[in-house]
Amino acid sequence: MVACFKITIADTGQQFDCGPDDTVSRAALRAGLGMPYECNVGACGSCKIELLDGEIVSNWPEAPALTDRDRARRRVLGCQSRPASDCTIKVRLGNHYVSRIRPQRVAAVLTSVHDVTHDIREFRFQPESPLAFLPGQYALINCAGFNGPRAYSMSNTARDDGSLHFQIKRVHNGVGTTILFDRLGPGDTVTLDGPYGLAYLRTESPRDIVCIAGGSGLAPMLSIARGAAADPATAARKLHFFYGGRCATDICGEELLSALPGFGARLFFHPVVSMPELDSNVSWSGRVGFVHQAVQEVMGQSLADHEIYFAGPPAMTQAVQQLLSQNGVPREQVHYDAFY
Ligand code: FES
């Protein structure tokens, strides 16, 4: 068994154990503490902590979320920091970061793959021990050849057979997706670490639901829709599902959503493409524009009355955030994890 280091939070004296192969942020979350985080992959900066004493090793010293000023002040990214000794850190914990389900690391076997679109593929993994999660959450996948874990959202729900389904978009020349798409096959084993993410389905909310997705943002939004349909607390809610692509061959999701109860009656699918001319082989007679424009057109003034979930590429999520703010949607009704 690997010996753990003791991490102490300076102002409160709270302590937790962290193995040399774990990160300070994730070990804190496993211990039930509300350590701030969002992406878990060094991109957002939410997990910055100040190292007051001790030594850490960074998984990614050049992570874009860390500035030279941060480095000069001994600030580190908790999600990239492995301890090399006992450490004392300064950080402000937040109750809303406390995981409803404590994350854990488990081995998982790839059981099947199939293509969802020309560049999105579904990977199904069976973990060796149960890995619970909430609709909309994500896990970190790590496997041989990766230079660090990658964050991907589950598209199914934990009500299924215990397997975790990921719909992953191929990134041109991306190390992670090249390995997943071209080298990994059924029977191969990966490590899953999760669940993470705060953009999970709020079953306690009385509001109808809007899901907005682009690219592999499809996965967490499908999980939200599936979770809402399956939970008695939300099954009767209306749900508007917007999916944006560049052209007709990017559009997916309708077949999967149409399997859910209430499709067409209280569950509505709104596909939209921004550049239909990109694919001259497939004609498009549906809505044209950006997905945030479609949301505005369909939802109008009622947007602020909804619980809103979204996921997708940065340009899309920035436009959606702007739209929600223009429409006066209260922040507590907006659910989004920045890790794409
Ligand atoms: Fe660490 Fe985003 S940079 S959680």
Side-chain angles (χ1 to χ4, degrees), residues 12 16 23 26 28 84 97 133 168 182 187 251 267 274 278 296 302 327 339:
T12 63
F16 59 96
T23 67
R26 296 199 276 278
Y97 292 108
F133 62 94
I168 298 174
D182 299 336
I251 296 299
L267 168 55
S274 57
L278 263 189
Q296 182 72 83
S302 73
N327 280 268
F339 69 84

Side-chain angles (χ1 to χ4, degrees), residues 48 61 63-75 77:
K48 281 178 194 171
L66 208 58
T67 65
D68 289 342
R69 188 179 154 94
D70 289 327
R71 291 184 182 91
R73 297 183 164 200
R74 288 204 95 195
R75 285 196 197 122
L77 296 176

Side-chain angles (χ1 to χ4, degrees), residues 71-90:
R71 291 184 182 91
R73 297 183 164 200
R74 288 204 95 195
R75 285 196 197 122
V76 297
L77 296 176
C79 76
Q80 300 300 309
S81 297
R82 286 180 288 116
S85 71
D86 290 345
C87 293
T88 302
I89 60 173
K90 188 170 179 182

Side-chain angles (χ1 to χ4, degrees), residues 127-139:
E128 286 182 354
S129 56
L131 192 65
F133 62 94
L134 300 170
Q137 288 195 296
Y138 70 90

